[in-house]
Amino acid sequence: MIWIDVLVQGILLGGLYALFAAGLSLVFGIMRLVNLAHGDLIVFAAFAILLITGSTGLHPFLAALLAAPLMFAAGWALQRFVLNRVMGKDILPPLLITFGLSVALQNGMLEIFSADSQRLAAGPLESASIDLGPVTVGTMPLLTFASAVLVIFALNRIFYTTALGRAFRAVSDDPTTASLMGINPKSVFAIATGLAMVIVTIAALYLGMRSNFDPSIGPARLIYAFEAVIIGGLGSLWGTLLGGAIIGVAQTIGAQLNPEWQILAGHLAFLAVLLIRPRGLFPRAVD
Amino acid sequence: MAYTVTTRTRASSIAGIIALALIAFGLVLPAFASRSLIQDLFFILTMLTLAQLWNLIAGFGGMVSVGQQAFVGIGAYAMFAGVILMGWDPVPAILLGGLAAFLLAIPMAFFAFRLTGAYFAIGTWVIAEVTRLLIAQWKTLGGGTGTSLPREATSDIMGVGAIASLFDLRDAAARDVLAYWLALALAVGTMAAIYALLRSRTGLALAAVRDNDNAARSVGVDAARVKWLVFLSAATMTGLVGALIYVQTARISPDAAFSVTNWTAYVIFIAVIGGIGRLEGPIIGVLVFWGLQTAFADYGSWYLLALGLLAIATMLFAPRGLWGLIADRWGIALFPVQRRLIFEGA
């Protein structure tokens, strides 16, 4: 009986990891860029939400609504003014720039917000739970998972049914030809990074309501996100959700065996998938 | 027409003579240098070696690793294991560090080579994290909190007594001198080996694989073999450096020994600021880094923030680093690896 509970909790935890990963997957799918500051940007968004709740007294959900356009603007500007200048065949410059950004963000946040643990207060929602017969699940984890499904559903709709999505797919396939058809790849890239930052804000909302956060936890979030993307297969958004669930289940199983093994078990699951299916479970992108 | 292929230039011949003079000077330096200068030089030499090794795999080999802390950490822990569990002297135990890093690099390369480009970077990071988490389970060596080298081991390191009487120093200072000499030997050995490798056929193959994997394979380069060779050698050397650093520190914990900031971020900044893909780059980079560290380290996280921004600015405005600027302006190469065709009698 306990193992059903472990499995359900793990899948729900995977929802959070899928939220971490969706933005990473989006950006990689469109411009083959891996943002090493992704985890620190999630923490940054969580602090932005915290500042808004602190100064206006709004509930975190509403504060996230205010933070999302700001994060969109930050992502857009980062891509437009910094990363677009180094996009090209050589992957080293963008990689090192985002690595520099990761170190700068972590230490900037440490200086401004101190190393103290923070939390977004969500009121009674924090401890609410729903009885589903064999297992009882927390409302918050359930909400997280539902949001992850919704985000991935919405991203898929954008990709395959809108003009913006068509532009995304076109520049992903071939930026040069896309620009002959009247698309400016650089502005498409900027919109994509902005959109990724909106997803980062949603991820930050749940990260902050579910657990404590401080400026140093970004890199670990990046690693979970990365593992979910690779397990799912590059370019497959639903695969990313499954990847998140696999990491989540591995972690809860590990924690059940020995609390010290939680994180390790997640990493080992990732390495096992890499061993058996190097291109992930549902690879879509060719490279 | 008769011709030869050479990499030698006049600047490189002069640089070679100066380098030899500097090495000789470095060897006799402890006779009159202060203890704090020796400690600073130890820091500079070990960071320089780590940066050259990262530069070898990333700058010359195109494999951007963010997991070098795995080799520093495993090397340091293997040295500790040799001293504490097997009763070895710390100095020969450094060799265990190299061996352990070599053994770790085999599975690491096996996994990470399945990923390319940016994903390779995070893949190496994951494996470094796994190694840290596993080492933190090793209770005999202090688990998550770490441990120190036992007093008997540090007070009786081979050669320290001789150095102490030679320079008339106390034991602690003599240990620093020994560590400094070993660091000098590792730095010079590593750079000489990298330079020799880059000027050999294998070095040419490595550059070809970095620039275009498929094109290199089509002219008969065994790309996988070259990558394995370089990755494993760099890992082994990184393990030796890690072990040496912790002989000097004498206190270890998983978080410090596997620190991504200390052993990978700093190292990447040194290579980036100095100039990636050149032997001169890390030399300039480590001097700039040491200067910044000495002047601003008291500012803690503001300093790291500035270092991150400096790396971003370098990538944006001088992607080939400080030495790249110098080389473009004056066309100097102290350690040239570029092949030039010289026609006899032309």
Side-chain angles (χ1 to χ4, degrees), chain B residues 29-49:
Chain B
L29 193 67
F32 43 85
S34 72
R35 190 176 169 193
S36 70
L37 178 65
I38 292 295
Q39 286 171 340
D40 280 354
L41 283 172
F42 177 79
F43 173 77
I44 290 175
L45 287 169
T46 50
M47 292 309 279
L48 171 64
T49 314

Side-chain angles (χ1 to χ4, degrees), chain B:
Chain B
M1 199 187 320
Y3 62 87
T4 50
V5 176
T6 184
T7 58
R8 188 185 295 270
T9 63
R10 213 177 73 178
S12 79
S13 308
I14 299 171
I17 294 166
I18 296 178
L20 287 177
L22 275 177
I23 294 166
F25 180 68
L27 279 174
V28 298
L29 193 67
F32 43 85
S34 72
R35 190 176 169 193
S36 70
L37 178 65
I38 292 295
Q39 286 171 340
D40 280 354
L41 283 172
F42 177 79
F43 173 77
I44 290 175
L45 287 169
T46 50
M47 292 309 279
L48 171 64
T49 314
L50 291 177
Q52 290 289 9
L53 291 165
W54 184 83
N55 196 26
L56 171 66
I57 56 171
F60 294 106
M63 298 172 273
V64 184
S65 163
V66 188
Q68 294 306 98
Q69 70 276 19
F71 304 125
V72 172
I74 198 82
Y77 265 97
M79 183 274 294
F80 263 67
V83 173
I84 293 176
L85 305 179
M86 292 146 61
W88 283 32
D89 185 280
V91 172
I94 293 173
L95 295 176
L96 286 177
L99 178 68
F102 175 77
L103 293 177
L104 174 66
I106 295 171
M108 187 151 166
F110 178 76
F111 280 108
F113 284 176
R114 295 172 165 239
L115 303 163
T116 51
Y119 282 91
F120 176 86
I122 314 188
T124 52
W125 196 350
V126 170
I127 295 164
E129 278 299 293
V130 170
T131 317
R132 178 178 67 86
L133 291 165
L134 287 173
I135 291 285
Q137 302 286 322
W138 196 355
K139 303 294 182 228
T140 333
L141 288 183
T145 48
T147 186
S148 296
L149 279 181
R151 247 192 126 60
E152 315 84 74
T154 51
S155 62
D156 189 30
I157 300 178
M158 67 167 65
V160 166
I163 293 171
S165 55
L166 177 66
F167 295 130
D168 189 23
L169 292 170
R170 280 185 298 134
D171 268 2
R175 268 207 301 280
D176 286 345
V177 170
L178 178 68
Y180 159 79
W181 272 342
L182 290 171
L184 183 67
L186 269 180
V188 171
T190 300
M191 285 171 60
I194 292 176
Y195 192 37
L197 174 82
L198 292 175
R199 288 165 44 128
S200 71
R201 283 165 54 90
T202 314
L204 204 54
L206 184 66
V209 171
R210 172 197 59 188
D211 292 340
N212 192 326
D213 201 85
N214 287 327
R217 280 204 301 244
S218 75
V219 294
V221 173
D222 187 347
R225 192 183 139 268
V226 172
K227 283 185 160 184
W228 272 92
L229 175 79
V230 168
F231 191 79
L232 291 189
S233 334
T236 309
M237 293 304 294
T238 305
L240 290 175
V241 177
L244 173 61
I245 289 172
Y246 278 88
V247 165
Q248 216 254 356
T249 315
R251 152 113 206 113
I252 202 168
S253 74
D255 288 346
F258 289 91
S259 161
V260 68
T261 307
N262 286 352
W263 312 126
T264 298
Y266 285 165
V267 160
I268 291 180
F269 289 152
I270 289 171
V272 166
I273 292 169
I276 291 176
R278 292 160 193 276
L279 272 169
E280 298 92 341
I283 301 176
I284 299 263
V286 80
L287 294 175
V288 172
F289 175 72
W290 176 76
L292 291 172
Q293 180 100 340
T294 319
F296 302 114
D298 293 345
Y299 295 91
S301 32
W302 286 120
Y303 161 68
L304 286 167
L305 170 68
L307 208 57
L309 294 177
L310 182 63
I312 295 175
T314 311
M315 277 328 286
L316 282 179
F317 303 111
R320 292 186 300 140
L322 288 176
W323 189 262
L325 292 179
I326 296 172
D328 288 348
R329 179 80 177 72
W330 290 289
I332 306 173
L334 301 183
F335 305 104
V337 293
Q338 208 171 12
R339 274 79 175 169
R340 291 171 308 122
L341 216 52
I342 306 286
F343 291 97
E344 314 278 337

